Amino acid sequence: MRGSLASTADTRDHAVVIGASIAGLCAARVLSDFFGQVTIFERDELPGTPANRATVPQDRHLHMLMARGADEFDGLFPGLLKDMVAAGVPMLENRPDCIYFGAAGHVLGTGHTLRKEFTAYVPSRPHLEWQLRRRVLDIDNVEIVRRLVAEPRFEPARQRVTGILLAPRDDGDPEFQAADLVVDAAGRGTRLPVWLTQWGFQRPDEETVDIGINYASQQFRIPDGLLAEKVVVAGASHDQSLGLGMLCYEDGTWVITTFGVAHAKPPSTFPEMRALADRLLPARFTAALAQAEPVGSPVFHAFPASRWRRYDKLDRFPVGIIPFGDAVASFNPTFGQGMTMTSLQAGNLRRALEAADKNLAAEFARLTRKTTYPVWMMNAIGDITFHHGVTGPVPWWWRPSGALFDQFLGAAETNPVLAEWFLRRFSLLDSLYMIPPPSIVGRAIAHNLRLWLRERRQAVADRRQAVTALR
Ligand SMILES: Cc1cc2nc3c(=O)[nH]c(=O)nc-3n(C[C@H](O)[C@H](O)[C@H](O)COP(=O)(O)OP(=O)(O)OC[C@H]3O[C@@H](n4cnc5c(N)ncnc54)[C@H](O)[C@@H]3O)c2cc1C
């Protein structure tokens, strides 16, 4: 948003949030510190216990919570992680043996100890959302109202959004709700780009990576103690367009999500999912899955493209509204970063609101570009260089970067230091950039060189042995 004509919202009496999913709840939490009243409007029925929701169909599928996201959510809602653990959410504290992590055809060899603190949490998506929701409902100046937002109201004379129109309950007229700020947390399907053109602004450019992902998931139970792992990932790779993940949730049930990239079809029945697991995972998982009891039926989801709406590049933007969460950027779900990226946007929103002298929308867009860019870029490099048939813009340096990364991951299979570095960066800890420092690059080169020399020596020894045998 360069050279925006808009000025900072001056009054902070009432903020309105569209959508009470992860993004809307995080936004409301931050807004409650700056506005007298915050109202979230949500079209869906919100259950009083952890349960799937109709308008969030992705919540039936595996949702990984990155370690960074867990920290950020706990910062927003102190005590959240402690309560989740008390409710049975698995906590993996320095337990690499609880994670089986296959990425791009390589299985990380983290070994049994990590050098730095590493704690991961494995809540189901409905459980996490419910935990956030009940905390938001406890905030005095926040309320959640079940209503469909028809559209924001824009006042051309002031070039600003002045509130929202709620879809009529019966045959009546839409109701107006005034607001000093509207936060659009309506998810990927946001209509903000269309509204902008209706109000005389430009649509944001959209960066997309056409990954063509199809998900198929099934919940199941296995007898306790069969598997040490609570997180199992076998990502798709060069020669393998199918992948899978399995998580053990707070109530002891598991979910297996199988997926195909570049429009590959994942298995559609539980026996077929198990057959894929047989192919992609070591035998101990096959043995455990042989004892699995399915819970419910398989569910499916299509995710055609990762999408980043570049609000940060717009010259003009109305005052009084900002897009938030997936409405700005939605990432390849197989990397498990969406909720964590939303939690980072919450930090951006707080910083933008604190900078009262700056244009709120422009400042939020600028900060969100900084958190989105490194993760978006790394995902896009991974998608485009590792998967045949995935398309998107390809700067010249992506392919060599992808090839080098492949080498790096190869070394991380047997070098615990490299594996730990990757695990932490993948979890968005330490830095959002997946760029190894010289010490780590040097270690990877030395490791690969040692492996190569060992293989050469072995090949020479084998040849000598064969020649001796012939004589
Ligand atoms: C298949 C799949 C798997 C995923 N896996 C992971 C994962 O492993 N890890 C991870 O971190 N992230 C994952 N994600 C991403 C994650 O689900 C989102 O990043 C996260 O839910 C934040 O989204 P959101 O709150 O912006 O939007 P959504 O979750 O889509 O919610 C939007 C909300 O807005 C409401 N709404 C919309 N329009 C209106 C309206 N007009 N009026 C009132 N209410 C409205 C909807 O009812 C809904 O409640 C996955 C996504 C998908 C699709």
Side-chain angles (χ1 to χ4, degrees):
M1 238 169 273
R2 285 166 281 122
S4 174
L5 300 179
S7 62
T8 315
D10 34 8
T11 34
R12 290 184 174 176
D13 292 335
H14 194 180
V16 155
V17 180
I18 309 174
S21 183
I22 302 287
L25 296 169
C26 290
R29 168 65 195 87
V30 173
L31 293 167
S32 69
D33 289 341
F34 295 87
F35 285 77
Q37 179 66 33
V38 180
T39 311
I40 311 178
F41 289 99
E42 168 57 56
R43 64 182 164 166
D44 199 8
E45 186 178 346
L46 297 173
T49 52
N52 296 119
R53 289 211 287 118
T55 62
V56 188
Q58 73 266 31
D59 73 0
R60 280 95 177 141
H61 299 273
L62 178 148
H63 263 64
M64 244 185 336
L65 173 59
M66 292 295 158
R68 174 69 180 273
D71 287 352
E72 297 285 336
F73 285 132
D74 202 52
L76 276 174
F77 300 99
L80 169 80
L81 297 176
K82 210 168 122 254
D83 281 6
M84 287 203 313
V85 173
V89 168
M91 175 177 74
L92 319 180
E93 202 173 12
N94 279 335
R95 291 288 307 275
D97 57 324
C98 288
I99 303 176
Y100 174 90
F101 196 157
H106 304 281
V107 177
L108 289 196
T110 36
H112 291 290
T113 48
L114 295 173
R115 295 185 312 168
K116 292 186 180 175
E117 273 300 303
F118 180 86
T119 310
Y121 298 81
V122 197
S124 66
R125 159 72 204 237
H127 185 89
L128 176 63
E129 193 181 301
W130 170 76
Q131 287 275 8
L132 300 184
R133 187 164 61 242
R134 69 193 188 99
R135 284 175 163 71
V136 165
L137 283 168
D138 274 350
I139 304 173
D140 285 345
N141 60 341
V142 181
E143 63 171 344
I144 305 182
V145 178
R146 187 173 176 205
R147 289 296 292 274
L148 172 71
V149 175
E151 59 182 339
R153 179 181 279 173
F154 176 70
E155 203 179 290
R158 290 163 65 206
Q159 293 285 289
R160 69 166 299 149
V161 165
T162 54
I164 50 160
L165 289 171
L166 296 166
R169 281 188 205 274
D170 308 309
D171 289 344
D173 292 327
E175 279 167 53
F176 176 64
Q177 167 66 65
D180 301 305
L181 177 68
V182 174
V183 173
D184 175 6
R188 269 169 76 80
T190 168
R191 300 198 62 236
L192 183 56
V194 177
W195 294 328
L196 284 178
T197 55
Q198 288 169 356
W199 301 335
F201 294 84
Q202 273 196 331
R203 276 180 91 103
D205 286 345
E206 287 190 0
E207 284 180 29
T208 53
V209 178
D210 297 319
I211 40 179
I213 289 186
N214 293 305
Y215 263 42
S217 300
Q218 169 75 58
Q219 288 203 4
F220 64 91
R221 284 189 179 279
I222 49 174
D224 284 348
L226 272 191
L227 288 175
E229 287 85 354
K230 305 282 184 207
V231 176
V232 179
V233 179
S237 63
H238 288 296
D239 349 286
Q240 168 61 47
S241 53
L242 298 181
L244 64 80
M246 297 195 324
L247 296 181
C248 176
Y249 288 145
E250 59 280 346
D251 60 357
T253 56
W254 286 72
V255 64
I256 179 168
T257 288
T258 56
F259 59 87
V261 282
H263 307 285
K265 274 239 169 306
S268 57
T269 64
F270 191 40
E272 287 170 6
M273 293 178 197
R274 285 203 285 222
L276 180 65
D278 286 355
R279 265 176 48 210
L280 301 185
L281 297 174
R284 64 181 183 283
F285 296 104
T286 311
L289 280 167
Q291 297 195 45
E293 290 285 335
V295 178
S297 307
V299 284
F300 306 94
H301 194 95
F303 187 94
S306 309
R307 177 163 288 116
W308 181 9
R309 298 186 173 100
R310 300 302 307 262
Y311 290 103
D312 56 295
K313 289 186 169 178
L314 289 177
D315 286 329
R316 291 174 60 243
F317 197 76
V319 186
I321 189 164
I322 55 168
F324 191 88
D326 278 17
V328 180
S330 63
F331 299 80
N332 176 344
T334 70
F335 295 140
Q337 293 157 329
M339 300 187 298
T340 298
M341 297 309 289
T342 294
S343 72
L344 295 176
Q345 285 190 32
N348 298 339
L349 180 59
R350 179 176 296 283
R351 281 187 281 283
L353 284 163
E354 279 165 357
D357 55 325
K358 297 205 172 112
N359 174 286
L360 177 67
E363 184 61 5
F364 175 71
R366 186 183 73 78
L367 294 168
T368 295
R369 170 175 52 76
K370 284 176 78 175
T371 49
T372 304
Y373 175 75
V375 178
W376 174 269
M377 180 187 61
M378 203 55 219
N379 287 0
I381 291 176
D383 283 332
I384 289 171
T385 62
F386 286 135
H387 304 311
H388 300 294
V390 172
T391 54
V394 188
W396 68 266
W397 53 273
W398 281 21
R399 290 200 188 281
S401 310
L404 285 174
F405 219 79
D406 200 27
Q407 293 280 319
F408 179 88
L409 286 175
E413 284 190 32
T414 44
N415 186 308
V417 175
L418 300 178
E420 182 181 348
W421 184 89
F422 181 76
L423 183 65
R424 292 185 67 83
R425 289 292 164 109
F426 187 84
S427 306
L428 304 175
L429 293 167
D430 303 334
S431 161
L432 300 178
Y433 280 89
M434 186 67 93
I435 299 175
S439 59
I440 288 287
V441 173
R443 190 182 276 270
I445 293 172
H447 188 79
N448 279 342
L449 204 62
R450 269 196 303 277
L451 289 181
W452 182 78
L453 282 172
R454 199 180 303 155
E455 275 171 24
R456 292 279 306 164
R457 273 200 294 273
Q458 187 61 48
V460 170
D462 288 351
R463 215 172 306 134
R464 276 205 195 116
Q465 211 175 8
V467 170
T468 317
L470 277 178
R471 281 181 190 149

